[in-house]
Amino acid sequence: MKLKVKSFLCLAAALFLFGAATCAAQSAIPKGLTDSTPNTAVLTAYDDWYAAEAKPNEAKIASKTIFTSPRCVVMLRDGGKGTLAKSHFHSTTDEIVVVMGGSGELLINGEWKQVKAGDVHINPRGNIHATRVAGSDDLKFVSIFTPVLPSGGDANFLTDGKAPVIPVGLSDSKPPTAVLANFQEWYKVNAKPEDPKIASQTIFTSPRVVVMLRDGGKGTLAKSHFHSTTDEIVIVMGGSGELLINGEWKQVKAGDVHVNPRGNVHATRVGADEDLQFVSIFTPALPAGGDANFLE
């Protein structure tokens, strides 16, 4: 009888300590961080959306918003054949475009550039840009606007035949001009697929956003943590791995789009067979010293 009582007391103590640790982890997350729609993390396969909702043969941009917060809006998009989005600039937001497939042309720093799958384009506020899809393919892409678009949008279209009037003081990014980088080209030179850590290169930063090209080598483990100031958008470009999303480990693959709101616990682990290739977008810019609050 004494043995049973002792065992019961040990079990109760263990459960108490586990509960205390769990509560401590939960209480470490400040209240009031949740202010997004949805208010939990998002995982969406771009290809699934494209198969169900894209309009590849219509000369317009089909779009679905999958996440919005005061810090950003994330859209899955498709520019159908013949699409033309005329020259314009944004006065409040930076726009990040990640090309998922197809082809098209973007007006970047005054020149039309052909884009393809794996291209990452960042257009700072105040920078004139445009889109045209003139070939036999449509243009598949993800758009992230940071911060969230104001009511009525933030596209300031230029008047034909008139010099553009862009307000002074909008340029505050590094670099101050638009960026076009190809993930696969970066991967060949910079990735460390055999190292169990995350290789990363920042290609753009402004007060509103940081954009990184990244590779999680085989065996990588980024422990459970949350961000207190930033939302993080992860777009998987290749390989495979697992992300802790809303308390469950989810296998991810090329084409997956994951949005993790501030205050939401998440983690990353990569198996021994394949590395995880991805783009990370933090909005707004990470504070000095970073914004990872680890729970263990």
Side-chain angles (χ1 to χ4, degrees), residues 71-95:
R71 294 162 295 284
C72 68
V73 59
V74 182
M75 301 177 181
L76 308 182
R77 312 184 88 180
D78 176 61
K81 299 166 191 173
T83 293
L84 175 61
K86 293 183 178 181
S87 295
H88 63 286
F89 68 90
H90 303 299
S91 56
T92 64
T93 62
D94 299 328
E95 182 181 6

PDB file of all heavy atoms in Angstrom, residues 71-95:
ATOM      1  N   ARG A  71       0.735  44.080 -40.264  1.00  0.00           N
ATOM      2  CA  ARG A  71       2.116  44.079 -40.743  1.00  0.00           C
ATOM      3  C   ARG A  71       2.276  43.592 -42.174  1.00  0.00           C
ATOM      4  O   ARG A  71       3.291  43.876 -42.825  1.00  0.00           O
ATOM      5  CB  ARG A  71       2.974  43.214 -39.808  1.00  0.00           C
ATOM      6  CG  ARG A  71       3.083  43.811 -38.405  1.00  0.00           C
ATOM      7  CD  ARG A  71       3.525  42.808 -37.385  1.00  0.00           C
ATOM      8  NE  ARG A  71       2.553  41.734 -37.202  1.00  0.00           N
ATOM      9  CZ  ARG A  71       1.416  41.848 -36.522  1.00  0.00           C
ATOM     10  NH1 ARG A  71       1.096  43.004 -35.961  1.00  0.00           N
ATOM     11  NH2 ARG A  71       0.591  40.824 -36.408  1.00  0.00           N
ATOM     12  N   CYS A  72       1.305  42.817 -42.689  1.00  0.00           N
ATOM     13  CA  CYS A  72       1.457  42.289 -44.041  1.00  0.00           C
ATOM     14  C   CYS A  72       0.153  41.699 -44.553  1.00  0.00           C
ATOM     15  O   CYS A  72      -0.782  41.445 -43.799  1.00  0.00           O
ATOM     16  CB  CYS A  72       2.546  41.210 -44.099  1.00  0.00           C
ATOM     17  SG  CYS A  72       2.137  39.685 -43.237  1.00  0.00           S
ATOM     18  N   VAL A  73       0.119  41.487 -45.867  1.00  0.00           N
ATOM     19  CA  VAL A  73      -0.935  40.703 -46.495  1.00  0.00           C
ATOM     20  C   VAL A  73      -0.249  39.749 -47.468  1.00  0.00           C
ATOM     21  O   VAL A  73       0.695  40.129 -48.166  1.00  0.00           O
ATOM     22  CB  VAL A  73      -1.986  41.593 -47.194  1.00  0.00           C
ATOM     23  CG1 VAL A  73      -1.366  42.471 -48.257  1.00  0.00           C
ATOM     24  CG2 VAL A  73      -3.112  40.755 -47.777  1.00  0.00           C
ATOM     25  N   VAL A  74      -0.700  38.484 -47.479  1.00  0.00           N
ATOM     26  CA  VAL A  74      -0.090  37.441 -48.303  1.00  0.00           C
ATOM     27  C   VAL A  74      -1.133  36.935 -49.288  1.00  0.00           C
ATOM     28  O   VAL A  74      -2.238  36.538 -48.887  1.00  0.00           O
ATOM     29  CB  VAL A  74       0.434  36.277 -47.442  1.00  0.00           C
ATOM     30  CG1 VAL A  74       1.116  35.228 -48.323  1.00  0.00           C
ATOM     31  CG2 VAL A  74       1.392  36.791 -46.366  1.00  0.00           C
ATOM     32  N   MET A  75      -0.781  36.928 -50.600  1.00  0.00           N
ATOM     33  CA  MET A  75      -1.713  36.542 -51.651  1.00  0.00           C
ATOM     34  C   MET A  75      -1.114  35.477 -52.557  1.00  0.00           C
ATOM     35  O   MET A  75       0.051  35.577 -52.953  1.00  0.00           O
ATOM     36  CB  MET A  75      -2.074  37.756 -52.516  1.00  0.00           C
ATOM     37  CG  MET A  75      -2.702  38.915 -51.795  1.00  0.00           C
ATOM     38  SD  MET A  75      -2.981  40.300 -52.956  1.00  0.00           S
ATOM     39  CE  MET A  75      -3.689  41.523 -51.847  1.00  0.00           C
ATOM     40  N   LEU A  76      -1.914  34.470 -52.905  1.00  0.00           N
ATOM     41  CA  LEU A  76      -1.583  33.540 -53.979  1.00  0.00           C
ATOM     42  C   LEU A  76      -2.160  34.129 -55.255  1.00  0.00           C
ATOM     43  O   LEU A  76      -3.334  34.520 -55.298  1.00  0.00           O
ATOM     44  CB  LEU A  76      -2.204  32.165 -53.700  1.00  0.00           C
ATOM     45  CG  LEU A  76      -1.921  31.555 -52.321  1.00  0.00           C
ATOM     46  CD1 LEU A  76      -2.570  30.179 -52.223  1.00  0.00           C
ATOM     47  CD2 LEU A  76      -0.438  31.481 -52.031  1.00  0.00           C
ATOM     48  N   ARG A  77      -1.368  34.164 -56.357  1.00  0.00           N
ATOM     49  CA  ARG A  77      -1.795  34.911 -57.530  1.00  0.00           C
ATOM     50  C   ARG A  77      -1.405  34.203 -58.823  1.00  0.00           C
ATOM     51  O   ARG A  77      -0.463  33.401 -58.863  1.00  0.00           O
ATOM     52  CB  ARG A  77      -1.199  36.332 -57.513  1.00  0.00           C
ATOM     53  CG  ARG A  77      -1.369  37.024 -56.184  1.00  0.00           C
ATOM     54  CD  ARG A  77      -0.867  38.444 -56.184  1.00  0.00           C
ATOM     55  NE  ARG A  77      -1.903  39.369 -56.614  1.00  0.00           N
ATOM     56  CZ  ARG A  77      -1.749  40.687 -56.703  1.00  0.00           C
ATOM     57  NH1 ARG A  77      -0.573  41.237 -56.437  1.00  0.00           N
ATOM     58  NH2 ARG A  77      -2.741  41.463 -57.087  1.00  0.00           N
ATOM     59  N   ASP A  78      -2.153  34.529 -59.871  1.00  0.00           N
ATOM     60  CA  ASP A  78      -1.847  34.019 -61.207  1.00  0.00           C
ATOM     61  C   ASP A  78      -2.164  35.096 -62.235  1.00  0.00           C
ATOM     62  O   ASP A  78      -3.284  35.604 -62.291  1.00  0.00           O
ATOM     63  CB  ASP A  78      -2.682  32.766 -61.512  1.00  0.00           C
ATOM     64  CG  ASP A  78      -2.460  32.279 -62.938  1.00  0.00           C
ATOM     65  OD1 ASP A  78      -1.315  31.933 -63.272  1.00  0.00           O
ATOM     66  OD2 ASP A  78      -3.425  32.262 -63.723  1.00  0.00           O
ATOM     67  N   GLY A  79      -1.159  35.460 -63.041  1.00  0.00           N
ATOM     68  CA  GLY A  79      -1.372  36.391 -64.144  1.00  0.00           C
ATOM     69  C   GLY A  79      -1.661  35.606 -65.404  1.00  0.00           C
ATOM     70  O   GLY A  79      -0.774  34.933 -65.944  1.00  0.00           O
ATOM     71  N   GLY A  80      -2.894  35.645 -65.858  1.00  0.00           N
ATOM     72  CA  GLY A  80      -3.273  34.897 -67.053  1.00  0.00           C
ATOM     73  C   GLY A  80      -2.599  35.446 -68.305  1.00  0.00           C
ATOM     74  O   GLY A  80      -2.090  36.579 -68.329  1.00  0.00           O
ATOM     75  N   LYS A  81      -2.596  34.649 -69.362  1.00  0.00           N
ATOM     76  CA  LYS A  81      -1.971  35.056 -70.623  1.00  0.00           C
ATOM     77  C   LYS A  81      -2.587  36.371 -71.110  1.00  0.00           C
ATOM     78  O   LYS A  81      -3.809  36.506 -71.166  1.00  0.00           O
ATOM     79  CB  LYS A  81      -2.160  33.964 -71.669  1.00  0.00           C
ATOM     80  CG  LYS A  81      -1.524  32.635 -71.269  1.00  0.00           C
ATOM     81  CD  LYS A  81      -2.006  31.501 -72.156  1.00  0.00           C
ATOM     82  CE  LYS A  81      -1.596  30.153 -71.589  1.00  0.00           C
ATOM     83  NZ  LYS A  81      -2.176  29.012 -72.336  1.00  0.00           N
ATOM     84  N   GLY A  82      -1.731  37.320 -71.460  1.00  0.00           N
ATOM     85  CA  GLY A  82      -2.195  38.622 -71.928  1.00  0.00           C
ATOM     86  C   GLY A  82      -2.353  39.658 -70.838  1.00  0.00           C
ATOM     87  O   GLY A  82      -2.693  40.815 -71.122  1.00  0.00           O
ATOM     88  N   THR A  83      -2.097  39.300 -69.594  1.00  0.00           N
ATOM     89  CA  THR A  83      -2.221  40.250 -68.481  1.00  0.00           C
ATOM     90  C   THR A  83      -1.264  41.431 -68.658  1.00  0.00           C
ATOM     91  O   THR A  83      -0.103  41.256 -69.052  1.00  0.00           O
ATOM     92  CB  THR A  83      -1.914  39.555 -67.140  1.00  0.00           C
ATOM     93  OG1 THR A  83      -2.941  38.594 -66.877  1.00  0.00           O
ATOM     94  CG2 THR A  83      -1.854  40.554 -65.992  1.00  0.00           C
ATOM     95  N   LEU A  84      -1.755  42.628 -68.347  1.00  0.00           N
ATOM     96  CA  LEU A  84      -0.917  43.820 -68.306  1.00  0.00           C
ATOM     97  C   LEU A  84      -1.308  44.648 -67.094  1.00  0.00           C
ATOM     98  O   LEU A  84      -2.429  45.160 -67.012  1.00  0.00           O
ATOM     99  CB  LEU A  84      -1.072  44.663 -69.569  1.00  0.00           C
ATOM    100  CG  LEU A  84      -0.316  45.997 -69.563  1.00  0.00           C
ATOM    101  CD1 LEU A  84       1.191  45.769 -69.433  1.00  0.00           C
ATOM    102  CD2 LEU A  84      -0.649  46.824 -70.808  1.00  0.00           C
ATOM    103  N   ALA A  85      -0.401  44.747 -66.142  1.00  0.00           N
ATOM    104  CA  ALA A  85      -0.573  45.651 -65.000  1.00  0.00           C
ATOM    105  C   ALA A  85       0.312  46.864 -65.274  1.00  0.00           C
ATOM    106  O   ALA A  85       1.542  46.759 -65.289  1.00  0.00           O
ATOM    107  CB  ALA A  85      -0.170  44.967 -63.702  1.00  0.00           C
ATOM    108  N   LYS A  86      -0.291  48.008 -65.552  1.00  0.00           N
ATOM    109  CA  LYS A  86       0.439  49.193 -66.017  1.00  0.00           C
ATOM    110  C   LYS A  86       1.362  49.754 -64.928  1.00  0.00           C
ATOM    111  O   LYS A  86       1.236  49.444 -63.744  1.00  0.00           O
ATOM    112  CB  LYS A  86      -0.547  50.250 -66.487  1.00  0.00           C
ATOM    113  CG  LYS A  86      -1.322  49.839 -67.738  1.00  0.00           C
ATOM    114  CD  LYS A  86      -2.240  50.959 -68.214  1.00  0.00           C
ATOM    115  CE  LYS A  86      -2.978  50.572 -69.497  1.00  0.00           C
ATOM    116  NZ  LYS A  86      -3.852  51.676 -69.977  1.00  0.00           N
ATOM    117  N   SER A  87       2.259  50.621 -65.358  1.00  0.00           N
ATOM    118  CA  SER A  87       3.273  51.193 -64.470  1.00  0.00           C
ATOM    119  C   SER A  87       2.634  51.929 -63.297  1.00  0.00           C
ATOM    120  O   SER A  87       1.731  52.761 -63.474  1.00  0.00           O
ATOM    121  CB  SER A  87       4.177  52.153 -65.249  1.00  0.00           C
ATOM    122  OG  SER A  87       4.915  51.454 -66.226  1.00  0.00           O
ATOM    123  N   HIS A  88       3.138  51.629 -62.106  1.00  0.00           N
ATOM    124  CA  HIS A  88       2.625  52.256 -60.889  1.00  0.00           C
ATOM    125  C   HIS A  88       3.680  52.137 -59.796  1.00  0.00           C
ATOM    126  O   HIS A  88       4.690  51.457 -59.947  1.00  0.00           O
ATOM    127  CB  HIS A  88       1.319  51.591 -60.432  1.00  0.00           C
ATOM    128  CG  HIS A  88       1.458  50.144 -60.065  1.00  0.00           C
ATOM    129  ND1 HIS A  88       1.608  49.146 -61.010  1.00  0.00           N
ATOM    130  CD2 HIS A  88       1.492  49.515 -58.861  1.00  0.00           C
ATOM    131  CE1 HIS A  88       1.706  47.976 -60.412  1.00  0.00           C
ATOM    132  NE2 HIS A  88       1.656  48.166 -59.110  1.00  0.00           N
ATOM    133  N   PHE A  89       3.440  52.821 -58.692  1.00  0.00           N
ATOM    134  CA  PHE A  89       4.295  52.681 -57.518  1.00  0.00           C
ATOM    135  C   PHE A  89       3.422  52.621 -56.276  1.00  0.00           C
ATOM    136  O   PHE A  89       2.241  52.977 -56.299  1.00  0.00           O
ATOM    137  CB  PHE A  89       5.315  53.828 -57.423  1.00  0.00           C
ATOM    138  CG  PHE A  89       4.708  55.186 -57.142  1.00  0.00           C
ATOM    139  CD1 PHE A  89       4.525  55.645 -55.847  1.00  0.00           C
ATOM    140  CD2 PHE A  89       4.309  56.017 -58.184  1.00  0.00           C
ATOM    141  CE1 PHE A  89       3.963  56.886 -55.586  1.00  0.00           C
ATOM    142  CE2 PHE A  89       3.745  57.259 -57.949  1.00  0.00           C
ATOM    143  CZ  PHE A  89       3.567  57.700 -56.635  1.00  0.00           C
ATOM    144  N   HIS A  90       4.003  52.134 -55.194  1.00  0.00           N
ATOM    145  CA  HIS A  90       3.318  52.096 -53.909  1.00  0.00           C
ATOM    146  C   HIS A  90       3.893  53.184 -53.007  1.00  0.00           C
ATOM    147  O   HIS A  90       5.115  53.399 -52.981  1.00  0.00           O
ATOM    148  CB  HIS A  90       3.471  50.728 -53.251  1.00  0.00           C
ATOM    149  CG  HIS A  90       2.987  49.601 -54.103  1.00  0.00           C
ATOM    150  ND1 HIS A  90       1.682  49.498 -54.519  1.00  0.00           N
ATOM    151  CD2 HIS A  90       3.636  48.529 -54.641  1.00  0.00           C
ATOM    152  CE1 HIS A  90       1.545  48.420 -55.273  1.00  0.00           C
ATOM    153  NE2 HIS A  90       2.711  47.816 -55.364  1.00  0.00           N
ATOM    154  N   SER A  91       3.023  53.852 -52.284  1.00  0.00           N
ATOM    155  CA  SER A  91       3.486  54.950 -51.436  1.00  0.00           C
ATOM    156  C   SER A  91       3.649  54.539 -49.973  1.00  0.00           C
ATOM    157  O   SER A  91       4.302  55.250 -49.198  1.00  0.00           O
ATOM    158  CB  SER A  91       2.522  56.139 -51.531  1.00  0.00           C
ATOM    159  OG  SER A  91       1.217  55.740 -51.195  1.00  0.00           O
ATOM    160  N   THR A  92       3.070  53.408 -49.585  1.00  0.00           N
ATOM    161  CA  THR A  92       3.157  52.986 -48.179  1.00  0.00           C
ATOM    162  C   THR A  92       3.760  51.594 -48.012  1.00  0.00           C
ATOM    163  O   THR A  92       4.258  51.277 -46.926  1.00  0.00           O
ATOM    164  CB  THR A  92       1.762  52.978 -47.512  1.00  0.00           C
ATOM    165  OG1 THR A  92       0.930  52.006 -48.159  1.00  0.00           O
ATOM    166  CG2 THR A  92       1.105  54.339 -47.596  1.00  0.00           C
ATOM    167  N   THR A  93       3.736  50.759 -49.035  1.00  0.00           N
ATOM    168  CA  THR A  93       4.117  49.364 -48.888  1.00  0.00           C
ATOM    169  C   THR A  93       5.289  48.961 -49.782  1.00  0.00           C
ATOM    170  O   THR A  93       5.485  49.505 -50.861  1.00  0.00           O
ATOM    171  CB  THR A  93       2.929  48.433 -49.232  1.00  0.00           C
ATOM    172  OG1 THR A  93       2.557  48.649 -50.606  1.00  0.00           O
ATOM    173  CG2 THR A  93       1.730  48.704 -48.363  1.00  0.00           C
ATOM    174  N   ASP A  94       6.058  47.979 -49.297  1.00  0.00           N
ATOM    175  CA  ASP A  94       6.982  47.235 -50.140  1.00  0.00           C
ATOM    176  C   ASP A  94       6.237  45.996 -50.634  1.00  0.00           C
ATOM    177  O   ASP A  94       5.398  45.440 -49.920  1.00  0.00           O
ATOM    178  CB  ASP A  94       8.210  46.777 -49.353  1.00  0.00           C
ATOM    179  CG  ASP A  94       9.020  47.933 -48.773  1.00  0.00           C
ATOM    180  OD1 ASP A  94       9.065  49.007 -49.399  1.00  0.00           O
ATOM    181  OD2 ASP A  94       9.600  47.753 -47.686  1.00  0.00           O
ATOM    182  N   GLU A  95       6.545  45.563 -51.866  1.00  0.00           N
ATOM    183  CA  GLU A  95       5.936  44.350 -52.407  1.00  0.00           C
ATOM    184  C   GLU A  95       7.023  43.323 -52.721  1.00  0.00           C
ATOM    185  O   GLU A  95       8.015  43.651 -53.371  1.00  0.00           O
ATOM    186  CB  GLU A  95       5.131  44.632 -53.675  1.00  0.00           C
ATOM    187  CG  GLU A  95       4.452  43.380 -54.241  1.00  0.00           C
ATOM    188  CD  GLU A  95       3.661  43.635 -55.515  1.00  0.00           C
ATOM    189  OE1 GLU A  95       3.728  44.769 -56.042  1.00  0.00           O
ATOM    190  OE2 GLU A  95       2.990  42.691 -55.989  1.00  0.00           O
TER     191      GLU A  95
END
